[in-house]
Structure formats: C-alpha cells, structure tokens
Amino acid sequence: MIRTDCHMHSSFSSDSSTSMEDMVKAAIRNRLRTICFTEHMDYNFPEKYEYDFLFNPDAYFEKYTELKNKYSDYIEILSGVELGLVCGNETLCSKLVKQYPWDYVIGSVHIIDELDPYYEEYWNNKDEHLCIEKYFNTVYENLCSHDDYDSVGHLDYILRYAPNKNRTFYYKDYKTIIDKILNHIISHGKALEINSAGYKSGLNTTNPCNEIINRYKKLGGVLFTIGSDAHSVEYPGYYFNEVTTQLREQGINEYVVFKNRIPKLIHV
C-alpha cells in the first residue's frame, strides 16, 4: 500500500480547524511513513468568500520544524505549499517559493472568473458542460503563466462540485483542452497529482479520473504524486488501498515524492 501522503492541510489552511500535530498523530495511526503539509496559499482569492486562504510561512516553518524533530522516530514530515494559481499572482507565488525551503510545491486552480465552483453561484443558470470547459481552459491559462511548482493538483477538481458530479463527464468531450494541459505538464517536467479526495466527494474515483491518468501516460507522462487532500484527522491516507490497486491496474508501478524540490521515485 502507498504509505506517502503529499497533500495534507492543517489549521494553517483557512478551511481546516485541525492542528498540525493532530494531523501528524492521525498519519502515524494510519501507518503512513511520509507526509507533507501543503497549506493553501491563494493570493488574490475573491474577498467575497469566507476564507482568504493565506497563512504565515514563518509560523508554519516554526511549527513544522518542531514537529519534524519531535516525531522523527515515527514519521518523515516534509514542508510544502499548495499555490492557488491565478493569472496576475505570478510574482507573489514566485517570491514565496524562492523565499522558503519548501520540499514540494503544488500548483492548483480553484477560481474561475472570480468564482469558486464550490459555491452554487458558479453553476446557477449555466450550462454544466460549458462551466467545466471554462475551468479546463482556465487551468491551461494559469499553468502557462506560472512555472515555479512541482505537481498539478487535482486536475479535474471541478467535478467534485458539478451538479452531476462526474456522472456525465467523459474525457472525449474535453479532449482538445485536456490534451493541451497534459502536454504542457509533460513538456515542462511537472508531475500529475493523483488525489484521493474524489472518493469522499461522491466521485468514486481519484482526481483526476482514470481516463485522464491514462491519457497522460499515453502522451508520455511518467511523474505522479499522491495525496489525500486531508483537512481533518479522518483523512490522511484516505482510500490509499484503492489508489494502490488503481495504479497497479493501470500499469503504474512508481510515483514520486519531492524532497528539496527534487523528485524521488517510490515503488507502488
């Protein structure tokens, strides 16, 4: 089974109320060997929402270092950040990445046209297909405008909140734009995250889904990272048994863990 969870949040992220230490203890209980705290940093997040998705990196590294040393006999703890990629915040993101000794940087897209698809207003009175297509186009634009990240987080994230979830989603309907995204990821040496939170969001699959993972492979992609997107103690390593089986069935025998921004191969 996969014993590495490189996408976890704590109370340093606006949408979590769980302490970093409690998340570490939960990961140890779940027999994880390596974890990475990738707290949300979404510069220019729309002010109308309840969260700002910003944290204090100095306070983060102080607590991270304390826990890394305290639990070193039980688990390896890595430092990370999940950047919310938006055209216009490139300078802020690059400055943050260069200023601190991160092990791992996720690049994710959460906002489309100043709207978060988590909320119904993004979907109200709109064609679902066009909303999803707009998301993928936005992902491509933001990936092209940023470069200082290691892996693309939860590529089909929008399906968690779509009115029909992934029941009416087919890769072929978005083939052109998804292939542009995947080719960009591959040509720029980035990894593709396999995020197990789709299982708790009603998708019964990872983000991205098998179709997109297989297409990434066919286009030449070989770098995968694994994360649960856990925000509370129930979810470190969530559904990793199923993810392990899923990868093996797809002929994926290894994934990577970033340490000091360098990918290290781990066998499934």
Side-chain angles (χ1 to χ4, degrees):
M1 180 179 145
I2 295 166
R3 299 290 182 191
T4 302
D5 190 340
C6 284
H7 189 153
M8 287 177 50
H9 298 274
S10 72
S11 54
F12 281 98
S13 291
S14 299
D15 56 351
S16 173
S17 59
T18 307
S19 73
M20 189 180 276
E21 185 161 18
D22 282 346
M23 293 296 281
V24 170
K25 291 177 179 178
I28 293 170
R29 286 197 300 271
N30 291 347
R31 297 166 54 199
L32 293 172
R33 296 171 184 159
T34 300
I35 60 173
C36 184
F37 282 101
T38 52
E39 309 294 359
H40 286 295
M41 189 67 90
D42 285 54
Y43 296 112
N44 303 332
F45 199 81
E47 293 182 0
K48 62 183 174 180
Y49 295 123
E50 57 187 311
Y51 302 127
D52 62 11
F53 290 109
L54 300 174
F55 68 95
N56 182 327
D58 292 321
Y60 166 94
F61 271 98
E62 181 179 356
K63 177 56 69 172
Y64 157 79
T65 302
E66 173 195 329
L67 297 177
K68 180 180 177 70
N69 293 332
K70 181 176 180 178
Y71 291 96
S72 61
D73 290 340
Y74 305 97
I75 195 167
E76 178 182 38
I77 307 175
L78 303 175
S79 63
V81 61
E82 182 179 8
L83 297 175
L85 305 184
V86 176
C87 291
N89 71 2
E90 297 90 345
T91 301
L92 289 168
C93 289
S94 182
K95 180 179 178 181
L96 176 73
V97 170
K98 289 176 171 59
Q99 189 174 355
Y100 294 91
W102 311 104
D103 284 302
Y104 177 47
V105 179
I106 301 175
S108 298
V109 175
H110 302 112
I111 296 297
I112 310 101
D113 290 340
E114 293 292 309
L115 295 173
D116 184 341
Y118 175 85
Y119 297 98
E120 290 184 6
E121 64 174 336
Y122 178 75
W123 305 95
N124 283 345
N125 302 314
K126 297 175 186 173
D127 179 89
E128 185 172 339
H129 173 86
L130 294 178
C131 286
I132 294 172
E133 186 174 59
K134 177 65 175 176
Y135 168 78
F136 283 121
N137 277 298
T138 301
V139 169
Y140 180 69
E141 292 168 3
N142 290 331
L143 293 183
C144 288
S145 71
H146 293 74
D147 189 58
D148 212 344
Y149 59 91
D150 303 313
S151 184
V152 176
H154 47 53
L155 180 54
D156 56 9
Y157 158 87
I158 195 168
L159 298 181
R160 296 180 187 175
Y161 311 114
N164 286 298
K165 299 289 186 181
N166 60 347
R167 292 187 294 274
T168 58
F169 174 82
Y170 300 97
Y171 153 78
K172 63 180 177 61
D173 294 336
Y174 308 90
K175 180 182 186 298
T176 300
I177 183 58
I178 291 177
D179 280 6
K180 286 176 69 175
I181 293 170
L182 296 177
N183 279 315
H184 180 88
I185 293 171
I186 294 165
S187 66
H188 286 74
K190 308 303 183 185
L192 179 69
E193 183 194 45
I194 297 176
N195 185 307
S196 67
Y199 283 104
K200 69 175 180 172
S201 303
L203 303 181
N204 199 34
T205 185
T206 54
N207 295 115
C209 61
N210 284 341
E211 281 189 293
I212 293 177
I213 294 171
N214 283 326
R215 184 59 178 167
Y216 172 75
K217 283 181 56 191
K218 287 180 181 178
L219 291 171
V222 296
L223 298 176
F224 298 93
T225 57
I226 311 294
S228 67
D229 214 343
H231 286 68
S232 59
V233 296
E234 299 92 337
Y235 296 111
Y238 188 73
Y239 261 70
F240 275 16
N241 281 331
E242 287 76 6
V243 174
T244 302
T245 300
Q246 176 182 333
L247 295 186
R248 288 174 176 163
E249 289 177 347
Q250 292 173 286
I252 299 170
N253 299 311
E254 54 192 20
Y255 60 96
V256 296
V257 174
F258 282 85
K259 299 180 183 181
N260 297 316
R261 307 292 304 282
I262 299 171
K264 307 291 185 182
L265 282 175
I266 307 291
H267 290 284
V268 176

